[in-house]
mmCIF file of all heavy atoms in Angstrom:
data_model
loop_
_atom_site.group_PDB
_atom_site.id
_atom_site.type_symbol
_atom_site.label_atom_id
_atom_site.label_comp_id
_atom_site.label_asym_id
_atom_site.label_seq_id
_atom_site.Cartn_x
_atom_site.Cartn_y
_atom_site.Cartn_z
ATOM 1 N N SER A 188 130.593 84.278 153.453
ATOM 2 C CA SER A 188 130.820 82.850 153.644
ATOM 3 C C SER A 188 131.450 82.254 152.388
ATOM 4 O O SER A 188 131.290 82.790 151.293
ATOM 5 C CB SER A 188 129.465 82.177 153.935
ATOM 6 O OG SER A 188 129.486 80.831 153.555
ATOM 7 N N ASN A 189 132.124 81.145 152.542
ATOM 8 C CA ASN A 189 132.767 80.490 151.388
ATOM 9 C C ASN A 189 131.937 79.340 150.839
ATOM 10 O O ASN A 189 132.361 78.666 149.912
ATOM 11 C CB ASN A 189 134.132 79.937 151.801
ATOM 12 C CG ASN A 189 135.030 81.048 152.259
ATOM 13 O OD1 ASN A 189 135.102 82.079 151.608
ATOM 14 N ND2 ASN A 189 135.677 80.860 153.387
ATOM 15 N N TYR A 190 130.799 79.104 151.440
ATOM 16 C CA TYR A 190 130.005 77.942 151.035
ATOM 17 C C TYR A 190 129.052 78.293 149.894
ATOM 18 O O TYR A 190 128.585 79.430 149.783
ATOM 19 C CB TYR A 190 129.242 77.394 152.251
ATOM 20 C CG TYR A 190 130.193 76.698 153.183
ATOM 21 C CD1 TYR A 190 130.909 77.423 154.133
ATOM 22 C CD2 TYR A 190 130.452 75.340 153.052
ATOM 23 C CE1 TYR A 190 131.842 76.799 154.962
ATOM 24 C CE2 TYR A 190 131.381 74.717 153.876
ATOM 25 C CZ TYR A 190 132.071 75.445 154.823
ATOM 26 O OH TYR A 190 133.005 74.826 155.624
ATOM 27 N N PRO A 191 128.768 77.342 149.001
ATOM 28 C CA PRO A 191 127.842 77.618 147.909
ATOM 29 C C PRO A 191 126.428 77.932 148.411
ATOM 30 O O PRO A 191 125.997 77.387 149.421
ATOM 31 C CB PRO A 191 127.840 76.320 147.083
ATOM 32 C CG PRO A 191 128.703 75.338 147.782
ATOM 33 C CD PRO A 191 129.337 75.985 148.964
ATOM 34 N N VAL A 192 125.760 78.799 147.677
ATOM 35 C CA VAL A 192 124.385 79.200 148.027
ATOM 36 C C VAL A 192 123.506 79.000 146.799
ATOM 37 O O VAL A 192 123.806 79.540 145.728
ATOM 38 C CB VAL A 192 124.302 80.694 148.425
ATOM 39 C CG1 VAL A 192 122.895 81.039 148.898
ATOM 40 C CG2 VAL A 192 125.322 81.044 149.486
ATOM 41 N N ILE A 193 122.440 78.243 146.944
ATOM 42 C CA ILE A 193 121.487 78.085 145.841
ATOM 43 C C ILE A 193 120.129 78.643 146.273
ATOM 44 O O ILE A 193 119.927 78.970 147.442
ATOM 45 C CB ILE A 193 121.370 76.624 145.353
ATOM 46 C CG1 ILE A 193 120.695 75.734 146.397
ATOM 47 C CG2 ILE A 193 122.745 76.064 144.975
ATOM 48 C CD1 ILE A 193 120.254 74.375 145.838
ATOM 49 N N VAL A 194 119.216 78.759 145.302
ATOM 50 C CA VAL A 194 117.888 79.334 145.579
ATOM 51 C C VAL A 194 116.802 78.334 145.190
ATOM 52 O O VAL A 194 116.915 77.628 144.179
ATOM 53 C CB VAL A 194 117.701 80.659 144.799
ATOM 54 C CG1 VAL A 194 116.259 81.159 144.897
ATOM 55 C CG2 VAL A 194 118.662 81.730 145.328
ATOM 56 N N ASP A 195 115.767 78.280 145.991
ATOM 57 C CA ASP A 195 114.557 77.513 145.691
ATOM 58 C C ASP A 195 113.442 78.516 145.354
ATOM 59 O O ASP A 195 112.749 79.005 146.251
ATOM 60 C CB ASP A 195 114.178 76.662 146.912
ATOM 61 C CG ASP A 195 112.854 75.926 146.753
ATOM 62 O OD1 ASP A 195 112.092 76.229 145.800
ATOM 63 O OD2 ASP A 195 112.563 75.051 147.591
ATOM 64 N N PRO A 196 113.289 78.847 144.057
ATOM 65 C CA PRO A 196 112.271 79.839 143.709
ATOM 66 C C PRO A 196 110.858 79.267 143.824
ATOM 67 O O PRO A 196 109.890 80.033 143.940
ATOM 68 C CB PRO A 196 112.606 80.196 142.248
ATOM 69 C CG PRO A 196 113.277 78.980 141.704
ATOM 70 C CD PRO A 196 113.987 78.337 142.864
ATOM 71 N N SER A 197 110.722 77.936 143.824
ATOM 72 C CA SER A 197 109.400 77.305 143.858
ATOM 73 C C SER A 197 108.705 77.577 145.187
ATOM 74 O O SER A 197 107.572 78.071 145.215
ATOM 75 C CB SER A 197 109.535 75.790 143.641
ATOM 76 O OG SER A 197 110.285 75.521 142.485
ATOM 77 N N HIS A 198 109.384 77.230 146.306
ATOM 78 C CA HIS A 198 108.780 77.484 147.613
ATOM 79 C C HIS A 198 108.802 78.973 147.959
ATOM 80 O O HIS A 198 107.993 79.437 148.752
ATOM 81 C CB HIS A 198 109.465 76.653 148.701
ATOM 82 C CG HIS A 198 109.185 75.185 148.558
ATOM 83 N ND1 HIS A 198 109.977 74.355 147.790
ATOM 84 C CD2 HIS A 198 108.176 74.409 149.026
ATOM 85 C CE1 HIS A 198 109.477 73.130 147.824
ATOM 86 N NE2 HIS A 198 108.385 73.131 148.560
ATOM 87 N N ALA A 199 109.732 79.726 147.368
ATOM 88 C CA ALA A 199 109.829 81.158 147.682
ATOM 89 C C ALA A 199 108.595 81.911 147.199
ATOM 90 O O ALA A 199 108.073 82.763 147.903
ATOM 91 C CB ALA A 199 111.086 81.748 147.054
ATOM 92 N N VAL A 200 108.120 81.590 145.997
ATOM 93 C CA VAL A 200 107.008 82.386 145.445
ATOM 94 C C VAL A 200 105.696 81.604 145.411
ATOM 95 O O VAL A 200 104.621 82.183 145.569
ATOM 96 C CB VAL A 200 107.388 82.987 144.067
ATOM 97 C CG1 VAL A 200 107.451 81.927 142.987
ATOM 98 C CG2 VAL A 200 106.448 84.113 143.672
ATOM 99 N N GLY A 201 105.788 80.298 145.180
ATOM 100 C CA GLY A 201 104.599 79.442 145.253
ATOM 101 C C GLY A 201 103.632 79.554 144.086
ATOM 102 O O GLY A 201 102.567 78.944 144.116
ATOM 103 N N ILE A 202 103.981 80.335 143.064
ATOM 104 C CA ILE A 202 103.086 80.542 141.913
ATOM 105 C C ILE A 202 103.862 80.190 140.639
ATOM 106 O O ILE A 202 104.870 80.841 140.323
ATOM 107 C CB ILE A 202 102.593 82.011 141.857
ATOM 108 C CG1 ILE A 202 101.854 82.370 143.149
ATOM 109 C CG2 ILE A 202 101.695 82.239 140.627
ATOM 110 C CD1 ILE A 202 101.573 83.853 143.319
ATOM 111 N N ARG A 203 103.368 79.154 139.941
ATOM 112 C CA ARG A 203 104.088 78.584 138.784
ATOM 113 C C ARG A 203 104.598 79.641 137.799
ATOM 114 O O ARG A 203 105.769 79.650 137.436
ATOM 115 C CB ARG A 203 103.155 77.605 138.068
ATOM 116 C CG ARG A 203 103.744 76.949 136.847
ATOM 117 C CD ARG A 203 102.739 75.994 136.217
ATOM 118 N NE ARG A 203 102.306 75.014 137.208
ATOM 119 C CZ ARG A 203 101.027 74.747 137.499
ATOM 120 N NH1 ARG A 203 100.046 75.341 136.854
ATOM 121 N NH2 ARG A 203 100.718 73.864 138.434
ATOM 122 N N ALA A 204 103.732 80.553 137.398
ATOM 123 C CA ALA A 204 104.081 81.491 136.329
ATOM 124 C C ALA A 204 105.195 82.462 136.727
ATOM 125 O O ALA A 204 105.830 83.059 135.855
ATOM 126 C CB ALA A 204 102.839 82.282 135.919
ATOM 127 N N LEU A 205 105.401 82.622 138.029
ATOM 128 C CA LEU A 205 106.397 83.602 138.488
ATOM 129 C C LEU A 205 107.780 82.988 138.716
ATOM 130 O O LEU A 205 108.751 83.698 138.970
ATOM 131 C CB LEU A 205 105.910 84.262 139.790
ATOM 132 C CG LEU A 205 104.493 84.849 139.750
ATOM 133 C CD1 LEU A 205 104.199 85.618 141.035
ATOM 134 C CD2 LEU A 205 104.304 85.773 138.543
ATOM 135 N N ILE A 206 107.856 81.666 138.662
ATOM 136 C CA ILE A 206 109.106 80.980 139.023
ATOM 137 C C ILE A 206 110.257 81.267 138.040
ATOM 138 O O ILE A 206 111.381 81.563 138.475
ATOM 139 C CB ILE A 206 108.843 79.466 139.211
ATOM 140 C CG1 ILE A 206 107.982 79.283 140.473
ATOM 141 C CG2 ILE A 206 110.146 78.677 139.303
ATOM 142 C CD1 ILE A 206 107.383 77.910 140.637
#
Side-chain angles (χ1 to χ4, degrees):
S188 154
N189 299 314
Y190 287 85
V192 185
I193 69 166
V194 171
D195 174 348
S197 308
H198 291 89
V200 71
I202 301 168
R203 179 180 304 128
L205 308 187
I206 291 167

